[in-house]
Amino acid sequence: MKKEVKKVVLAYSGGLDTSVILKWLQDEYNCEVVTFTADIGQGEEVEPARAKALEFGIKPENIFIDDLREEFVRDYVFPMFRSNAIYEGEYLLGTSIARPLIAKRQVEIAKLTGADAVSHGATGKGNDQVRFEVGYLSLNPDLTVIAPWREWDLMSREKLLAYAEQHGIKIEKKGKKSPYSMDANLLHISYEGGLLENPNNEPEESMWLWSVSPEDAPDKAEYIEIDYKNGDPIALNGEELTPATMLEKLNELGKKHGIGRVDIVENRFVGMKARGCYETPGGTIMLKAHRAIESITLDREEAHLKDEMMPRYAKLIYNGFWFSPEREMLQAAIDNTQKYVQGRVKLKLYKGNVMVVGRTSQKSLFSEEYSTFEEDAVYDHKDAAGFIKLNALRFIIEGKAHR
């Protein structure tokens, strides 16, 4: 039995799925619909969504189109990169990190418009349904959540198209449809489905949209410098940039040099394995640069403990627990390590590779006086004997006892 709903905020792109959902919500729930379209750097025009919403009879005051690019990078991408988060050794969490921001804004719009429900277009097989709904319920547990893919029987593109035709929903055809399910934002673009469903099939070169093939990248390496402050990149080649502009510029550089492609089989939170391909050009550069500046500014045990925390932190984001107290606790610990993570990293970009070739900081813990292989006046080599014996003491005792 459907719960009675008066007004629902729909995460709306204007594409086939969400256009069908909009009409379905109006018919099935007989409720007022508020549309919310987020610009998080997906590379598509978002304003056409307004005209489409108006065609459905949505009131102008109930159509929200928000540019969230700066907030996305500043408050979500950058904090995540302070942790060097990477899921299962490969995935830079491009889709995962965008969902909590969309969920947060939907909840805010629900409050502004007096809506009592929220809705999304994520399927019942994927991770996004969890990410959206855990976000909604964390921020306002009183909202009703409507997940059409778990309620209706429109389980294929053909059925969606038939529904659209039956109800007079105009679907613009933009050339040949891609065989892949794709998601994009300022951090990455993902590809799933099609021939990728067989994990032994090599991706077609034509699939990749954000980067040139490493084989076709320039034959000459390019050097860049990134300045850091409190763990975040603030300037590129001496030019101070806003967070979103920084990521845009790094994406351009990564695209040019064929950087950031990965092909992985990941373990979804809902239980099955899924094969996905990702392009994260700017993020790949940022990860390498951030680890480089940390290498000279973080204490050894601080850095090692941070690396031990990272997989747990990455898993929380992947599974949709951005607003959880444990993620916030880890974030506070991570952010506390970043107060002296400042300085400049020099990188060499060449045919799919990001190579660190220099790093400098006024807060550097690297001491040439102690680290030199030449003669020095500060380190007494004889001190190592006692250090070794104390660390080996338990082995000495055990060895004598078991002899």
Side-chain angles (χ1 to χ4, degrees):
M1 183 177 176
K2 289 185 174 66
K3 187 174 180 180
E4 186 176 338
V5 168
K6 294 179 181 178
K7 184 183 287 188
V8 58
V9 180
L10 170 65
Y12 180 68
S13 70
L16 172 62
D17 290 23
T18 55
S19 292
V20 168
I21 289 172
L22 197 164
K23 177 62 177 172
W24 182 86
L25 287 170
Q26 290 174 327
D27 291 348
E28 291 294 317
Y29 281 84
N30 192 29
C31 65
E32 189 175 359
V33 179
V34 177
T35 63
F36 162 54
T37 306
D39 182 358
I40 48 175
Q42 57 266 44
E44 295 180 348
E45 288 293 324
V46 292
E47 273 301 322
R50 189 187 306 277
K52 290 183 180 180
L54 289 169
E55 289 177 6
F56 282 99
I58 306 300
K59 298 174 184 176
E61 63 268 25
N62 282 343
I63 299 172
F64 289 79
I65 297 178
D66 296 344
D67 184 347
L68 302 178
R69 288 174 293 179
E70 288 293 347
E71 183 180 359
F72 174 51
V73 182
R74 181 190 66 238
D75 296 342
Y76 294 82
V77 175
F78 277 9
M80 181 177 73
F81 270 79
R82 288 176 213 143
S83 77
N84 303 317
I86 190 164
Y87 181 70
E88 295 187 339
E90 296 276 4
Y91 177 38
L92 289 175
L93 299 162
T95 296
S96 314
I97 194 60
R99 298 322 190 207
L101 172 57
I102 295 171
K104 179 180 81 78
R105 186 58 183 146
Q106 271 185 274
V107 171
E108 290 171 348
I109 292 171
K111 184 177 181 180
L112 284 170
T113 60
D116 54 349
V118 286
S119 182
H120 62 78
T123 72
K125 263 191 175 182
N127 296 310
D128 278 347
Q129 60 181 333
V130 183
R131 295 165 183 155
F132 282 127
E133 294 179 37
V134 169
Y136 301 149
L137 297 172
S138 298
L139 298 169
N140 186 349
D142 294 328
L143 288 170
T144 296
V145 178
I146 302 175
W149 281 92
R150 299 203 300 265
E151 295 186 26
W152 66 19
D153 61 355
L154 307 174
M155 306 306 286
S156 69
R157 180 173 172 80
E158 289 70 27
K159 287 185 177 180
L160 289 170
L161 287 168
Y163 183 97
E165 184 176 357
Q166 179 185 348
H167 292 85
I169 300 170
K170 297 176 184 177
I171 302 299
E172 293 181 17
K173 293 185 178 179
K174 303 176 182 177
K176 185 180 178 182
K177 179 179 167 15
S178 169
Y180 306 103
S181 172
M182 297 184 290
D183 176 76
N185 58 52
L186 203 52
L187 181 57
H188 90 153
I189 185 170
S190 65
Y191 310 88
E192 292 181 314
L195 66 80
L196 299 179
E197 291 193 349
N198 181 340
N200 198 40
N201 288 337
E202 181 178 358
E204 303 165 302
E205 182 57 37
S206 60
M207 179 193 76
W208 305 103
L209 300 178
W210 275 25
S211 62
V212 302
S213 168
E215 293 94 331
D216 297 328
D219 292 328
K220 184 178 179 181
E222 183 171 357
Y223 290 86
I224 64 169
E225 292 182 336
I226 300 177
D227 290 351
Y228 275 85
K229 183 179 181 181
N230 297 331
D232 295 336
I234 59 168
L236 177 62
N237 295 330
E239 180 186 2
E240 290 191 10
L241 300 171
T242 67
T245 306
M246 170 67 73
L247 188 48
E248 286 171 356
K249 297 281 189 183
L250 292 175
N251 278 336
E252 292 169 8
L253 288 163
K255 176 180 180 178
K256 175 182 175 182
H257 292 281
I259 290 164
R261 294 183 178 185
V262 295
D263 177 347
I264 61 176
V265 175
E266 67 199 61
N267 288 293
R268 281 185 179 167
F269 191 25
V270 292
M272 76 281 285
K273 291 183 182 291
R275 196 268 189 95
C277 292
Y278 302 94
E279 289 177 279
T280 319
T284 301
I285 296 170
M286 282 202 306
L287 179 66
K288 196 81 170 181
H290 185 254
R291 291 200 69 97
I293 195 63
E294 281 192 327
S295 72
I296 59 171
T297 55
L298 288 189
D299 170 75
R300 181 189 70 185
E301 295 307 313
E302 187 179 35
H304 289 183
L305 182 57
K306 190 166 171 286
D307 278 347
E308 291 172 21
M309 292 163 53
M310 183 277 287
R312 177 67 184 273
Y313 179 94
K315 187 176 178 181
L316 287 171
I317 294 175
Y318 183 84
N319 290 346
F321 291 88
W322 177 263
F323 296 110
S324 68
E326 61 268 33
R327 198 284 306 176
E328 293 176 353
M329 181 188 76
L330 289 174
Q331 191 72 59
I334 289 162
D335 290 351
N336 190 62
T337 69
Q338 301 296 292
K339 56 187 174 182
Y340 298 130
V341 179
Q342 62 186 60
R344 176 170 292 178
V345 179
K346 187 176 182 181
L347 303 158
K348 182 179 180 180
L349 312 180
Y350 182 67
K351 290 191 177 295
N353 293 297
V354 184
M355 293 161 277
V356 177
V357 295
R359 68 290 272 165
T360 182
S361 172
Q362 290 184 335
K363 302 294 184 181
S364 177
L365 300 179
F366 183 90
S367 169
E368 289 186 40
E369 196 175 19
Y370 276 97
S371 301
T372 180
F373 281 92
E374 304 301 326
E375 186 176 354
D376 68 83
V378 294
Y379 183 80
D380 188 342
H381 290 252
K382 294 176 183 177
D383 290 344
F387 172 78
I388 294 167
K389 281 187 177 180
L390 284 175
N391 276 280
L393 182 58
R394 60 194 176 98
F395 303 123
I396 295 169
I397 294 170
E398 185 179 7
K400 289 180 177 179
H402 295 168
R403 183 174 299 161

